[in-house]
Amino acid sequence: MAKKTLGIAEGCQQTNPQPDWEVVVIGAGVAGIYQIKRLKDLGIRATVLDANGDLGGTWYNNRYPGARFDSESFTYGYSFSAELLDEWHWTEQFSPQPETLRYLNYVADKFSLREHMQFGCRVDSMVFDEETDTWKLRLDDNRELTTRFVVTALGVLSIPTLPRFEGMDSFSGASFHSFDWPHEPIDLAGKRVAVIGTGATAIQLIPEVAKVAGRLTVFQRRPNWAAPLNNAPISETEMTAIRGRYDEIFATCERTPGGFEHEPDRRHFYEVSPEDRRRLWDRLYDEPGFGIWLRNFVEIFVDEQANAEFSDYIAGRIRERVNNPDIAEKLIPKDHGFGIQRVPLETNYFETYNRDNVELVDSEQTPIVRVTPTGLETTDRSFEFDVIVYSTGFDSFTGAFDRIDITGIGGRQLRDKWADGPVTYLGTMVHGFPNLLMLAGPQTAATNFPRGAELAVNWVTPLLQYMQERGYSRFDAEESAEATWLEHVKEMYKGLLLRKAKSWITGYNSNIDGHEYGKTRYNIYNGGGPKYAERLKQVASNDYQGIRFRTRL
Ligand code: NAP
């Protein structure tokens, strides 16, 4: 069937009862790219809409110096094509952003996916038409289109949030969120640069900026626990060895809670002697990647005392690396233990504070009060800057959904339903919002992103086929199934120290009303990848239990 591009749909709807598309995927990042590949292979009329000028999602946007993933590159690639796995050479253990973006473009070109994508298309609103069982989408330039299904691939951290300091617009130099790092290279050589925030993003960019800036001032409100990434190049020989064990790599990722090759140490913390615990930690500290977090004892995540002992160990490592003891103490978190927030991995982050051109300002003690045309003022000092980088986090999980007016059955808005946090069935759909599927949406297992994205696509696609084969025009999650899932999601937070975290994972963000600390939003499924995958499988093999289907008369 001939495909219609966006815009041609206008005026066609009265005469043509068929929607313009069978499936519209929103977002051309890691998840959206794989989703359109599967739909294309099945010959389903589908298109991807993306607000950006090109594909890549998070890897299109995050271009700050030092941006790279903390997943081993060879666990981050798609697993669906043996040919692709054979062809692609990752050059570093943890690929930098330009390489990942190149990879995603390579995938799109190899499988001719680009022609199924439309860029510069920001979806402003979506209204479900109960008569025709279709969604009507409106874009920010007022174009409209209709589709039977919408699959969202919006990303978890795609809506950056800025602080609400007085005078931010008055700054005469360059200022931007790290997510919006200029695409044209910005010359920081000799410049006076401020970085606000010390999350995983800032921890990557600070050492890089420090190398070139004349002076770098880091404004830290709360320190974050961080551990070495231990990155290294991947040689041809190593890549050949990796290719030889891809089956094993992906099988391990499927088996582990986080979708990595890292498996927790199943020995009991208290049954291992303090000396042996220390030996394990010394080894993990020097190993690449998330091993320090995910190969550790399970008690670290649930037992205050075990967590405190390990946090003390990491504090000791920070003290060894930072020359000035007062600065070292400032860099050691006191309000939370290691690993209950997402652990940033770093390369020379702590050593950066030994440099003469770097200053750490404690924004908890002396908060920023305003931005001025030439810099900013804290409660006790004024600073002059050429560049201010806001590395201040994201409106996580639900933020990208909230930016679209999504109207379901009975005129209900999704953002109203989710005002106190997401409510979903299996993290894939929402009762009252039929024919809407989410890839890597809220309340899915928090895993190595592509592993979770592939799982989601591999579940969503057969569901669409199932409906097509039976001539169903509408699905909706049952309210009771959704309520049971929510209870289960909440249950999985119990006992985990992370439930107390002041973090984007629990929905905390000081820059958004309603996201204050203590108002926990149940954003993730804490049961781990395998348990989550098993649940999806059970539901599918049980004739999509908890989902109601109907055929339009
Ligand atoms: P983040 O972890 O939410 O950190 C935001 C930082 O900004 C925090 O230090 C926060 O301080 C500070 N901040 C926010 N508002 C502020 C304000 N008004 N005044 C002063 N300070 C303020 O955000 P992120 O660093 O962008 O990281 C988010 C997530 O992205 C990571 O956890 C990770 O999952 C992902 N990420 C992944 C990679 C990778 O794969 N390698 C790299 C980067 C990021 P408080 O702590 O006091 O709120």
Side-chain angles (χ1 to χ4, degrees):
M1 217 176 290
K3 286 183 192 72
K4 281 178 186 156
T5 50
L6 188 75
I8 298 174
E10 285 159 281
C12 294
Q13 286 128 41
Q14 281 80 25
T15 51
N16 182 1
Q18 285 297 310
D20 301 318
W21 299 98
E22 196 56 22
V23 183
V24 166
V25 179
I26 310 179
V30 170
I33 290 171
Y34 180 43
Q35 182 63 80
I36 195 65
K37 160 85 173 75
R38 290 290 313 268
L39 296 171
K40 174 188 175 252
D41 288 352
L42 290 168
I44 293 176
R45 279 183 310 128
T47 190
V48 183
L49 306 179
D50 195 298
N52 283 336
D54 205 348
L55 60 82
T58 201
W59 301 110
Y60 178 85
N61 289 101
N62 283 292
R63 293 168 187 240
Y64 58 85
R68 65 179 67 248
F69 46 64
D70 292 336
S71 309
E72 283 72 12
S73 306
F74 45 85
T75 70
Y76 198 91
Y78 295 110
S79 69
F80 65 79
S81 160
E83 209 177 274
L84 175 64
L85 290 167
D86 239 23
E87 285 167 6
W88 187 260
H89 182 140
W90 295 104
T91 63
E92 295 184 46
Q93 298 284 342
F94 302 91
S95 158
Q97 175 271 338
E99 179 167 315
T100 309
L101 189 57
R102 252 195 328 277
Y103 170 74
L104 295 175
N105 276 279
Y106 180 83
V107 173
D109 292 340
K110 176 176 173 64
F111 298 105
S112 308
L113 305 178
R114 198 177 281 283
E115 64 206 72
H116 303 281
M117 298 176 178
Q118 304 185 59
F119 299 107
C121 296
R122 181 176 298 284
V123 179
D124 262 0
S125 73
M126 290 169 38
V127 180
F128 187 71
D129 181 344
E130 297 182 45
E131 289 300 310
T132 57
D133 289 343
T134 54
W135 284 97
K136 184 190 271 187
L137 275 58
R138 182 180 288 275
L139 306 193
D140 61 350
D141 60 6
N142 277 328
R143 284 181 294 168
E144 282 183 359
L145 76 162
T146 56
T147 177
R148 176 79 59 212
F149 301 101
V150 173
V151 179
T152 61
L154 298 170
V156 168
L157 296 158
S158 50
I159 305 293
T161 48
L162 288 166
R164 296 178 279 197
F165 301 137
E166 181 192 321
M168 277 171 65
D169 289 340
S170 72
F171 183 62
S172 58
S175 68
F176 41 82
H177 193 284
S178 46
F179 183 80
D180 297 317
W181 195 277
H183 287 205
E184 293 308 314
I186 171 163
D187 184 12
L188 297 178
K191 298 268 168 59
R192 299 162 303 174
V193 181
V195 172
I196 299 171
T198 49
T201 301
I203 284 175
Q204 288 189 330
L205 74 84
I206 285 167
E208 295 303 315
V209 171
K211 285 182 202 163
V212 286
R215 207 183 70 213
L216 167 64
T217 312
V218 177
F219 293 86
Q220 169 188 271
R221 196 164 58 182
R222 285 186 318 136
N224 239 304
W225 292 105
L229 176 66
N230 295 316
N231 190 21
I234 300 182
S235 67
E236 278 293 347
T237 319
E238 284 168 320
M239 199 60 224
T240 305
I242 288 166
R243 287 196 189 101
R245 62 179 200 92
Y246 264 131
D247 286 349
E248 177 199 328
I249 290 171
F250 291 123
T252 309
C253 292
E254 226 175 284
R255 199 173 63 230
T256 57
F260 291 92
E261 280 204 289
H262 308 297
E263 300 205 49
D265 194 315
R266 299 281 178 197
R267 293 174 300 166
H268 286 289
F269 185 89
Y270 295 106
E271 286 171 9
V272 176
S273 71
E275 295 72 29
D276 282 348
R277 295 202 285 260
R278 170 89 200 198
R279 261 191 284 277
L280 171 71
W281 295 339
D282 280 347
R283 182 162 58 72
L284 294 178
Y285 201 79
D286 291 336
E287 278 182 8
F290 277 135
I292 192 80
W293 193 25
L294 305 179
R295 278 188 195 277
N296 220 316
F297 300 101
V298 175
E299 284 84 351
I300 303 286
F301 299 99
V302 293
D303 178 317
E304 300 270 7
Q305 195 188 323
N307 183 280
E309 187 181 317
F310 181 60
S311 301
D312 276 352
Y313 168 84
I314 297 288
R317 301 300 295 244
I318 296 171
R319 290 186 188 105
E320 284 164 13
R321 293 172 58 186
V322 178
N323 296 343
N324 180 325
D326 294 337
I327 294 176
E329 286 318 303
K330 282 193 187 307
L331 291 167
I332 296 171
K334 307 290 188 302
D335 72 328
H336 68 283
F338 184 96
I340 74 158
Q341 296 181 182
R342 198 289 207 173
V343 177
L345 295 180
E346 45 83 26
T347 304
N348 296 326
Y349 175 66
F350 293 107
E351 287 77 7
T352 299
Y353 294 98
N354 299 333
R355 296 176 68 107
D356 291 339
N357 67 334
V358 176
E359 183 183 3
L360 180 68
V361 174
D362 184 338
S363 289
E364 200 156 47
Q365 253 177 19
T366 55
I368 297 167
V369 286
R370 71 182 58 83
V371 177
T372 65
T374 54
L376 58 79
E377 287 173 11
T378 65
T379 47
D380 74 340
R381 272 171 77 185
S382 10
F383 295 81
E384 305 237 306
F385 293 116
D386 304 304
V387 179
I388 299 178
V389 180
Y390 296 102
S391 187
T392 44
F394 296 86
D395 187 353
S396 62
F397 294 98
T398 50
F401 291 89
D402 288 349
R403 297 305 185 281
I404 305 174
D405 278 328
I406 303 178
T407 310
I409 301 284
R412 182 131 197 236
Q413 291 269 309
L414 185 62
R415 74 166 75 84
D416 293 339
K417 176 161 176 162
W418 284 4
D420 296 326
V423 183
T424 74
Y425 182 44
L426 306 169
T428 61
M429 56 183 73
V430 186
H431 169 70
F433 296 82
N435 294 4
L436 173 63
L437 288 155
M438 300 178 292
L439 302 177
Q443 299 181 346
T444 55
T447 59
N448 191 359
F449 191 83
R451 304 284 61 83
E454 280 192 345
L455 174 71
V457 170
N458 290 340
W459 191 81
V460 157
T461 311
L463 170 62
L464 294 172
Q465 283 177 283
Y466 175 92
M467 290 189 64
Q468 204 173 43
E469 281 157 20
R470 287 160 183 75
Y472 292 140
S473 58
R474 184 198 287 198
F475 76 81
D476 198 3
E478 288 170 9
E479 197 167 11
S480 58
E482 186 178 74
T484 307
W485 177 250
L486 182 63
E487 277 321 298
H488 179 55
V489 167
K490 286 184 177 175
E491 190 64 30
M492 300 307 285
Y493 276 74
K494 286 192 184 145
L496 289 178
L497 298 176
L498 76 75
R499 73 188 186 282
K500 299 181 188 167
K502 225 173 167 182
S503 137
W504 59 270
I505 290 179
T506 47
Y508 161 75
N509 186 320
S510 68
N511 307 310
I512 315 172
D513 291 334
H515 287 240
E516 293 79 17
Y517 180 59
K519 291 187 174 175
T520 303
R521 295 165 73 87
Y522 296 94
N523 281 329
I524 55 173
Y525 174 70
N526 282 313
K531 218 169 168 174
Y532 177 67
E534 184 52 36
R535 187 64 190 266
L536 287 181
K537 200 168 137 195
Q538 267 172 15
V539 167
S541 58
N542 240 326
D543 250 346
Y544 293 100
Q545 191 183 23
I547 304 171
R548 194 162 291 167
F549 297 95
R550 83 163 205 189
T551 310
R552 193 159 59 89
L553 297 173

